[in-house]
Amino acid sequence: MQIPELPNLIHYAIPVFIATVIIEVILTVKVKMKEYEYKDAATSIAMGLGNVAIGLISKTLILAIFYLVYNTFHLFEIPFVWWSWILILFAEDLVYYWFHRISHENRFFWASHIVHHSSQKYNLSTALRQTWTGSFTSFIFWIPLVLVGFHPVMILVQMSISLLYQYWIHTELIDKLPKWVEFIFNTPSHHRVHHATNPQYLDRNHAGIFIIWDRIFGSFEPEVEKPVYGLTTNIHTFNPLKVAFLEWFGLFKDVFTSKTSVFNKLKYFLKPPGWKHDGTGILATDMRKEWEKKQRK
């Protein structure tokens, strides 16, 4: 199969990221919205730069693993033609939905993904607040695409396209878009819900590009109440190292200090964030159920 030369889209997009963050700062000040938190934005940018740097290593390893799997077995020979890009647009987005959803429902993957939710602000710089550890484990979700027959290069390009799409939806400057757009696509309104800590918004709207997956799999929530951003228990630090590794530290601390069985210790990796072996933990589902009870009164 002839493989076309494809650019590293994320690297080309960095100047656009910087320019649009600056524009958003100016617009935010001009329309007298909440004061832009520069320390928070600087932390997000530092996390983004670290993610790009680490990505030079992780993407090389991931591509090597994808090639190993692809060369060992794949069902179909999917060529680099126009219709295959349409197929992978939807296939990769479905994979991303489940990866993203599981990253909220499984503490092992949450330990990496929490980085993206750790800001109490919501702006374009928040989109740059990316994990330093996640790519070394999250790639397993995309292996089924390799087994089907999508070429590893095609998969990595579509993953970059998805990440680029999700950049612009991290803003409060765009309100709701036309109904047909809101019905099909992930938008700033939908993604504000995803980043919110309001009980009814927790673990909702996991979409990458298409919000249809949330509608199909029952995780959609419209933006009604004003979102409150951050974590249910915020970390209150601008230190990039702490942002990157604090949850990993907490996870392993729970595993090694909990006085319980080995089976229960392993559950700390598998259960949702907030789970405790003694039943004292509070999960996002518990918070939502409590909110639903209040709504019925």
Side-chain angles (χ1 to χ4, degrees), residues 37-54:
E37 177 59 71
Y38 298 105
K39 285 184 179 179
D40 184 81
T43 301
S44 296
I45 292 168
M47 298 305 299
L49 292 173
N51 175 269
V52 170
I54 293 167

Side-chain angles (χ1 to χ4, degrees), residues 19-176:
T20 49
V21 166
I22 292 170
I23 291 168
E24 187 186 47
V25 171
I26 294 168
L27 289 175
T28 300
V29 173
K30 194 167 183 178
V31 299
K32 296 181 180 178
M33 291 174 66
K34 286 183 180 179
E35 194 173 314
Y36 211 95
E37 177 59 71
Y38 298 105
K39 285 184 179 179
D40 184 81
T43 301
S44 296
I45 292 168
M47 298 305 299
L49 292 173
N51 175 269
V52 170
I54 293 167
L56 296 173
I57 300 169
S58 64
K59 284 184 179 179
T60 301
L61 291 173
I62 293 166
L63 190 61
I65 293 169
F66 282 1
Y67 263 114
L68 179 63
V69 174
Y70 184 83
N71 291 331
T72 302
F73 173 81
H74 56 275
L75 281 171
F76 306 103
E77 196 78 21
I78 301 175
F80 282 82
V81 292
W82 67 269
W83 55 262
S84 62
W85 289 104
I86 295 174
L87 280 180
I88 198 169
L89 168 64
F90 287 94
E92 192 278 335
D93 203 54
L94 177 58
V95 167
Y96 177 84
Y97 168 83
W98 281 108
F99 150 70
H100 196 184
R101 180 167 176 169
I102 290 170
S103 292
H104 280 257
E105 298 174 352
N106 175 286
R107 195 175 175 191
F108 176 79
F109 290 105
W110 174 247
S112 293
H113 187 60
I114 190 176
V115 169
H116 187 58
H117 287 265
S118 60
S119 174
Q120 291 177 252
K121 303 294 181 180
Y122 190 79
N123 49 55
L124 291 176
S125 72
T126 309
L128 307 179
R129 187 176 286 226
Q130 296 291 332
T131 175
W132 290 357
T133 58
S135 57
F136 291 101
T137 54
S138 62
F139 71 89
I140 62 173
F141 289 91
W142 279 263
I143 286 179
L145 295 180
V146 183
L147 294 172
V148 167
F150 288 107
H151 194 276
V153 171
M154 186 180 289
I155 296 170
L156 258 63
V157 169
Q158 185 56 46
M159 289 170 73
S160 295
I161 291 170
S162 176
L163 190 61
L164 290 173
Y165 177 90
Q166 293 175 64
Y167 173 71
W168 74 277
I169 61 178
H170 289 81
T171 185
E172 291 187 297
L173 293 179
I174 299 174
D175 197 14
K176 293 196 176 184

Side-chain angles (χ1 to χ4, degrees), residues 126-251:
T126 309
L128 307 179
R129 187 176 286 226
Q130 296 291 332
T131 175
W132 290 357
T133 58
S135 57
F136 291 101
T137 54
S138 62
F139 71 89
I140 62 173
F141 289 91
W142 279 263
I143 286 179
L145 295 180
V146 183
L147 294 172
V148 167
F150 288 107
H151 194 276
V153 171
M154 186 180 289
I155 296 170
L156 258 63
V157 169
Q158 185 56 46
M159 289 170 73
S160 295
I161 291 170
S162 176
L163 190 61
L164 290 173
Y165 177 90
Q166 293 175 64
Y167 173 71
W168 74 277
I169 61 178
H170 289 81
T171 185
E172 291 187 297
L173 293 179
I174 299 174
D175 197 14
K176 293 196 176 184
L177 297 171
K179 286 184 178 180
W180 71 269
V181 177
E182 295 283 341
F183 186 81
I184 298 171
F185 294 99
N186 197 9
T187 65
S189 176
H190 296 327
H191 207 57
R192 284 193 290 269
V193 165
H194 181 71
H195 274 259
T197 60
N198 313 50
Q200 72 271 34
Y201 292 161
L202 292 174
D203 294 350
R204 290 295 186 267
N205 298 1
H206 303 291
I209 296 175
F210 298 108
I211 200 67
I212 55 173
W213 309 123
D214 286 285
R215 297 183 186 279
I216 291 169
F217 297 112
S219 55
F220 176 72
E221 188 74 32
E223 182 184 28
V224 179
E225 182 180 295
K226 183 175 175 56
V228 177
Y229 305 111
L231 303 168
T232 53
T233 303
N234 288 303
I235 58 177
H236 301 295
T237 180
F238 297 120
N239 185 326
L241 287 172
K242 288 184 178 180
V243 172
F245 299 110
L246 202 59
E247 179 63 14
W248 282 112
F249 175 80
L251 171 57

Side-chain angles (χ1 to χ4, degrees), residues 107 262-272 275:
R107 195 175 175 191
V262 173
F263 183 66
N264 273 339
K265 286 178 182 289
L266 289 175
K267 283 185 179 180
Y268 277 101
F269 291 102
L270 304 174
K271 290 288 187 177
W275 180 84

